[in-house]
Amino acid sequence: MSDEKNNLLEVNNLKTSFHTSDGIVRSVRGITFHVEREESLGIVGESGCGKSVTMLSIMRLLEDNAQLEADSILFDGEDLAKKTKKEMRPIQGNRIGMIFQDPMTSLNPLFTIGEQIKNPLKRHQNLSGKEAQKKAIQMLELVGIPDPAKRMRQYPHELSGGMRQRVMIAIAMCCEPELLIADEPTTALDVTIQAQILDLMKDLKKKYHSSIILITHDLGVIAGVCSRIVVMYGGLIMEEGTTEEIFYQTAHPYTAGLLASIPKDTKEKLVPITGTPPDLLNPPKGCPFAARCKYAMKLCKEVQPEFTQLSTQHRAACWLLHPAVKQKLGEVKIR
Amino acid sequence: MIEKPNPLLQVEDLRMHFKLKGGLFSKAKFLKAVDGVSFSIQKGETMGLVGESGCGKTTVGRTILKLYHPTSGKVIYDGNDITEYSDKEMFPYRKKMQMIFQDPYTSLDPRMTVGSIIELPLKVHNLYQGKDRQDRVRELIQMVGLKPDHINRYPHEFSGGQRQRIGIARALAIEPEFIVCDEPISALDVSIQAQVINILEELQEKFHFSYLFISHDLSMVKHISNKVGVMYLGHLIEYASVEEMYQNMQHPYTKSLMSAVPIADPKKAAANQRVILQGDVPSPIHPPSGCPFRTRCPHAKKICEDQVPQLKKLNDDHMVACHLLS
């Protein structure tokens, strides 16, 4: 484990469920992870694996039908899980910034770009109108928007997708947050624009000494940006480790499956993961991946595997790694 | 050879300009979605068409299927010029040319069962009668990896990947020769994408389909295609066999597009020399004069402003449209 003092965020046993007309959907089912200061952590997983819900839980932006349980969500020593909505205000958008997936819907169409950037500056930094105006123009310039003074007066629909995402980044970074949460920030963008946005995020992270949590389903994006990765599936963490460990010493069959699904440089046939992710209305009793796993044993379907620590940073939740199973089956090669 | 004789499909200088509403006194404007695209596809071959959103790749696919009437140019299918065919004359060709759509959530009728969705093309073309038809539907469902008892279910009961399989089964029902796959995997999760790609490949091996594979996922295009065309602002700017394209790309736009693709390998990603483009794609309503790419091209010269570069042969497997290369 890493030095605890150096952790900006520590999430301990977070569980989030939603009460719906169909029953209780257990989106996040007890996850523990941390974010160090000035690091970029990547969270990968398929749609519905709980990665976005995790972030909304940390930000306390869940809807009314959601229920959040956690031993603690420590942000710089303060427990966010115990805060009221009002107490969260000075943190949301100020000390933790957030970028959402869809720049088309996350900006308010009724307000100009300028008003939307000035809003957090006035609220959190107590800047006067003039100061906020100046800072907002600076921010737009910083995120690479040409002619920022003119853009300040424009509405979101007048900008392209890439430009809107830059504005979102300007809003998220204007209060110089310690933590930036980016939820699929480039999924809706073209590859050339994606490259621009990712570079911009890296530059701003360096400039403001922020930490980043990058949520994505794209292993390519993560490989280029993050130093550490958390792999989620069915509301649980499957594997966690440094980027090198996840890519080159893959320990969990799900991570291996994800890596095998993406085309390599050769014409080799892709190896898909058969089946579909579990329904979190009735989450499986054992390992959530058991139903799709090539190596699943009887045990996997019955009991949720515990984490096996593989190095100081690397751990995976899979029965194949358990010492007792290893003794019986020997080393199972998953790649 | 990239252009062989007797192709299954040949597209010649295809143009598709959409008329935009002009004011009462102002001149009507045109959106030049496709502006002079030529290529050909052989039987059993897959042509990948890549480019950023708004470059016209979907319009090319739809125009080939005559879902739009092209402004000019020719679409020649199996030796017959189908460009000016009426709906009635097109009918027999509808049986040969099919399409798989991008969004599996909107391309299936929510009020029809899976069985009737797949059966519809058989009904329209009056193929297989009575019990045979039901057997055929069952066969198709199994072919794409679904279960026969899914027949009476409705689309909302399926996940995205399963719905995409239903779309594939529908396209296959009447045994087409040529299928336009318009971003068939972009709405799917990574683990499901590989499943769908494998189905498309297996079916191609079995039935020798030709695919026009439209996608912005360059690594998947590399995987599935025999040849690749790169589009920018309605123009085909580079066109080559897949090996040539990925090893010996020439156009500055292709280079920056390829270098922007994230690599799922941290060591290679760190070594990747990226050419990051500045700015956004210009509007196709007011495209730049001369070369469409010149406003973002790091090497643009005076000639690029004055003349539209033509697609020229670099070698047998490779064509490129750039003034600086000729």
Side-chain angles (χ1 to χ4, degrees):
Chain A
M1 276 285 130
S2 55
D3 180 14
E4 303 227 333
K5 274 197 188 133
N6 201 25
N7 289 351
L8 179 64
L9 180 77
E10 278 177 49
V11 176
N12 289 311
N13 197 20
L14 172 74
K15 288 178 189 161
T16 308
S17 41
F18 293 87
H19 295 266
T20 67
S21 52
D22 293 334
I24 299 172
V25 180
R26 301 186 192 283
S27 298
V28 177
R29 303 191 289 143
I31 63 169
T32 299
F33 68 96
H34 67 276
V35 183
E36 286 163 35
R37 282 178 204 278
E38 296 186 42
E39 85 163 338
S40 320
L41 175 76
I43 300 191
V44 238
E46 290 173 76
S47 35
C49 74
K51 51 193 196 302
S52 294
V53 173
T54 304
M55 292 310 124
L56 292 174
S57 307
I58 293 170
M59 286 288 269
R60 298 288 304 282
L61 289 172
L62 295 165
E63 290 184 30
D64 290 343
N65 67 339
Q67 191 184 349
L68 184 148
E69 283 171 58
D71 293 352
S72 64
I73 302 175
L74 294 177
F75 174 68
D76 202 16
E78 293 176 71
D79 191 350
L80 301 185
K82 294 201 171 59
K83 284 192 186 294
T84 60
K85 266 194 177 161
K86 211 175 155 195
E87 289 169 336
M88 279 302 292
R89 287 276 169 78
I91 293 175
Q92 290 165 337
N94 185 25
R95 297 183 65 194
I96 308 181
M98 193 154 181
I99 307 170
F100 299 91
Q101 172 170 3
D102 190 352
M104 308 288 163
T105 53
S106 47
L107 288 169
N108 190 331
L110 299 177
F111 291 94
T112 61
I113 302 297
E115 284 169 82
Q116 296 188 53
I117 304 186
K118 281 191 287 187
N119 193 4
L121 288 169
K122 285 187 199 160
R123 181 186 269 272
H124 295 303
Q125 314 264 312
N126 292 321
L127 296 186
S128 68
K130 247 191 188 154
E131 289 166 332
Q133 173 82 11
K134 210 173 128 202
K135 174 92 196 207
I137 293 180
Q138 271 174 8
M139 276 316 289
L140 287 182
E141 212 163 2
L142 192 65
V143 297
I145 290 184
D147 202 356
K150 186 183 148 210
R151 296 289 180 190
M152 289 280 285
R153 293 189 298 272
Q154 289 187 323
Y155 288 88
H157 75 264
E158 297 175 71
L159 305 182
S160 69
M163 284 292 164
R164 278 182 238 198
Q165 201 60 300
R166 283 171 194 270
V167 170
M168 275 304 294
I169 293 177
I171 295 173
M173 294 302 284
C174 68
C175 297
E176 305 180 12
E178 290 143 79
L179 177 65
L180 176 70
I181 298 177
D183 187 355
E184 306 259 12
T186 56
T187 309
L189 306 175
D190 277 311
V191 277
T192 53
I193 311 294
Q194 168 170 289
Q196 295 174 4
I197 297 288
L198 293 176
D199 273 22
L200 174 64
M201 281 174 52
K202 279 195 242 177
D203 289 347
L204 289 178
K205 175 187 167 280
K206 225 183 251 164
K207 190 172 156 82
Y208 293 130
H209 305 283
S210 311
S211 306
I212 292 184
I213 302 181
L214 178 70
I215 303 176
T216 177
H217 65 272
D218 190 330
L219 287 157
V221 168
I222 274 216
V225 176
C226 300
S227 51
R228 226 155 47 79
I229 299 175
V230 166
V231 182
M232 280 187 75
Y233 187 80
L236 291 170
I237 292 177
M238 298 285 106
E239 188 170 357
E240 182 182 351
T242 64
T243 305
E244 276 74 27
E245 284 167 336
I246 296 288
F247 277 90
Y248 303 128
Q249 288 141 40
T250 317
H252 199 283
Y254 175 62
T255 318
L258 274 186
L259 289 170
S261 311
I262 43 181
K264 307 286 162 324
D265 267 356
T266 54
K267 283 259 168 194
E268 243 171 81
K269 225 173 159 118
L270 302 177
V271 188
I273 307 175
T274 52
T276 47
D279 180 5
L280 294 177
L281 255 174
N282 304 299
K285 208 165 36 157
C287 171
F289 189 58
R292 300 172 78 186
C293 183
K294 278 189 276 188
Y295 313 97
M297 303 168 285
K298 210 172 157 194
L299 175 70
C300 302
K301 295 194 171 90
E302 297 296 326
V303 193
Q304 232 172 59
E306 280 162 27
F307 277 106
T308 306
Q309 201 73 36
L310 300 159
S311 78
T312 49
Q313 303 258 25
H314 195 189
R315 60 181 186 144
C318 178
W319 282 120
L320 293 177
L321 304 166
H322 194 272
V325 178
K326 257 187 175 168
Q327 212 170 28
K328 208 171 160 197
L329 295 178
E331 191 88 33
V332 178
K333 240 190 142 52
I334 55 159
R335 276 192 90 180
Chain B
M1 286 279 276
I2 188 157
E3 296 289 305
K4 291 177 206 140
N6 305 322
L8 180 69
L9 175 86
Q10 189 160 7
V11 177
E12 277 178 21
D13 198 28
L14 191 70
R15 279 164 214 273
M16 184 67 231
H17 299 176
F18 294 101
K19 194 174 173 182
L20 302 174
K21 245 193 197 154
L24 187 58
F25 297 107
S26 60
K27 229 169 85 187
K29 287 176 188 156
F30 287 92
L31 189 156
K32 297 178 176 172
V34 179
D35 209 16
V37 166
S38 311
F39 60 87
S40 68
I41 301 176
Q42 298 289 326
K43 198 164 168 46
E45 195 174 55
T46 302
M47 157 123 180
L49 202 54
V50 295
E52 291 172 273
S53 42
C55 72
K57 51 194 194 303
T58 296
T59 309
V60 167
R62 295 189 165 212
T63 313
I64 289 171
L65 293 181
K66 297 273 310 285
L67 297 177
Y68 299 136
H69 186 78
T71 311
S72 70
K74 274 182 195 167
V75 181
I76 300 165
Y77 188 84
D78 213 2
N80 300 306
D81 184 351
I82 60 168
T83 328
E84 296 302 326
Y85 275 18
S86 65
D87 284 354
K88 209 174 156 190
E89 286 169 310
M90 263 312 279
F91 188 73
Y93 289 91
R94 295 269 171 242
K95 195 181 156 305
K96 297 179 184 169
M97 304 159 88
Q98 281 292 315
M99 184 155 184
I100 299 168
F101 296 90
Q102 172 168 8
D103 186 352
Y105 290 85
T106 53
S107 57
L108 301 175
D109 187 335
R111 289 171 300 178
M112 284 167 81
T113 61
V114 170
S116 45
I117 287 173
I118 298 173
E119 194 191 337
L120 192 61
L122 297 173
K123 251 189 204 160
V124 169
H125 289 277
N126 207 13
L127 298 166
Y128 301 91
Q129 305 303 330
K131 203 184 156 292
D132 287 352
R133 193 180 279 172
Q134 288 312 313
D135 289 344
R136 172 72 181 156
V137 170
R138 252 181 227 115
E139 186 191 329
L140 285 161
I141 279 189
Q142 280 169 320
M143 210 187 276
V144 295
L146 296 174
K147 296 192 191 89
D149 59 308
H150 286 155
I151 269 186
N152 295 318
R153 295 207 200 161
Y154 289 88
H156 75 264
E157 297 175 59
F158 294 92
S159 66
Q162 285 174 317
R163 279 185 227 212
Q164 200 56 295
R165 288 160 193 253
I166 299 169
I168 294 174
R170 172 176 64 182
L172 296 181
I174 51 179
E175 295 163 37
E177 301 166 332
F178 171 67
I179 302 177
V180 174
C181 309
D182 186 6
E183 304 256 13
I185 53 165
S186 64
L188 308 174
D189 269 314
V190 186
S191 72
I192 311 292
Q193 285 186 355
Q195 292 177 9
V196 171
I197 289 294
N198 278 0
I199 289 179
L200 289 174
E201 284 184 328
E202 277 159 27
L203 293 169
Q204 185 172 44
E205 272 163 38
K206 215 161 152 188
F207 301 107
H208 302 287
F209 293 141
S210 306
Y211 290 133
L212 176 66
F213 191 86
I214 300 169
S215 180
H216 64 265
D217 183 339
L218 292 146
S219 46
M220 210 49 108
V221 165
K222 182 181 181 183
H223 175 81
I224 199 170
S225 309
N226 302 100
K227 57 188 182 190
V228 182
V230 182
M231 281 187 74
Y232 188 80
L233 220 57
H235 294 259
L236 191 66
I237 53 138
E238 190 157 9
Y239 174 38
S241 69
V242 72
E243 296 81 14
E244 265 288 308
M245 184 65 91
Y246 283 83
Q247 277 161 24
N248 185 25
M249 57 190 95
Q250 294 293 329
H251 199 284
Y253 176 65
T254 314
K255 284 183 183 169
S256 59
L257 187 68
M258 299 288 179
S259 76
V261 176
I263 307 170
D265 186 330
K267 279 183 196 153
K268 280 188 199 157
N272 185 21
Q273 290 285 334
R274 283 228 302 261
V275 192
I276 293 190
L277 286 179
Q278 295 308 312
D280 288 328
V281 184
S283 151
I285 305 168
H286 306 287
S289 65
C291 174
F293 184 57
R294 70 168 172 87
T295 52
R296 294 169 87 193
C297 181
H299 317 290
K301 299 237 156 43
K302 181 83 180 64
I303 186 172
C304 307
E305 222 170 292
D306 301 337
Q307 283 173 36
V308 181
Q310 297 303 313
L311 205 57
K312 282 192 192 126
K313 213 169 181 175
L314 203 66
N315 62 44
D316 276 352
D317 288 327
H318 201 152
M319 290 171 92
V320 61
C322 180
H323 289 305
L324 304 173
L325 297 168
S326 48

